[in-house]
Amino acid sequence: MPVNGIFGTTIDVLGKSIDLRTKSQNLISSNIANAETPNYIPKSLDFEQELQSAVKSGSKGTPAITHPRHLPLRGSGAGLQSVTGQVVETPAKTPGNDGNAVELENEMGKLLENQIMFNASVQMLSKKFSDLSVAIKGGN
Amino acid sequence: MDFFSSMNISSSALTAERTRMNLISSNLANAGSTRTSEGGPYKRKDAVFSATPLESGFKRALNSAVGQQTRQVEVTEIVEDQNPPRMQYDPGHPDANAQGYVAMPNVNVVEEMADMISASRSYEANVTAVQAAKSMALKTLEIGK
């Protein structure tokens, strides 16, 4: 379909990345909020590997997976749409007396990184659309 | 966009930290109170924090794995420190016992100050998290501008 040619996979990947970064933000907020709750184990969303392999396998012309029983046609990577990320628990190396494993400095770092990566994705997506608009208008 | 749950989680923490800060203020203010309406000297109070799921029932069932794993924080209980009162020798005090000792509150001012700094830093961290979520939400609205 020519529409696929215009909107390529870049927009899909960026959209998915924004979606996953939003979810990641929720988990990081949850960790920071519970930085003093006894026995709380921080969680994080692990999706970079999964997203990368989905991007590699999902080249042009790969049929979309629209049903859970569909088999991916290329390699082992699942379709981009099915990337949801894994919620993993990250216990501290040296837990405190109250069993709380949140390292606030670490979480603030992750918060910042997530925010910057999110902004990068949004900026690229925005640029992609404005470039398309330039092409449509013939450079005007 | 699911930034509102992120903001809700952080604001639950702001509320919890503020409650804790109120208790610390109360402990510091009453570090010398020998009389209370319950009788006896003031007893140090502390907040118990618990991680609770953000939504309940139907909405939670609809959520993805991420939604089930996020936890807001709640002050579920305010407990009194059961440590014995500090006995201070002050025979001239109106509440002194026959031996001249006064039962003073079991508040350790140094401990309270350390707790206060910790509560204040946690509050700041959560404010930063709210700001991050807000700036991300506003950034999303810039797509296609």
Side-chain angles (χ1 to χ4, degrees), chain A residues 26 29-30 34 36 43 115, chain B residues 2 6 20 71 122 135:
Chain A
N26 286 342
S29 304
S30 170
N34 285 290
E36 309 209 2
K43 284 135 197 136
Q115 193 183 0
Chain B
D2 194 20
S6 177
R20 188 163 154 233
R71 295 280 187 274
S122 292
S135 97

Side-chain angles (χ1 to χ4, degrees), chain A residues 45-66:
Chain A
L45 190 68
D46 192 13
F47 61 83
E48 277 162 13
Q49 283 283 327
E50 207 184 332
L51 191 61
Q52 222 162 48
S53 66
V55 170
K56 273 186 199 144
S57 69
S59 57
K60 260 181 205 160
T62 307
I65 295 174
T66 52

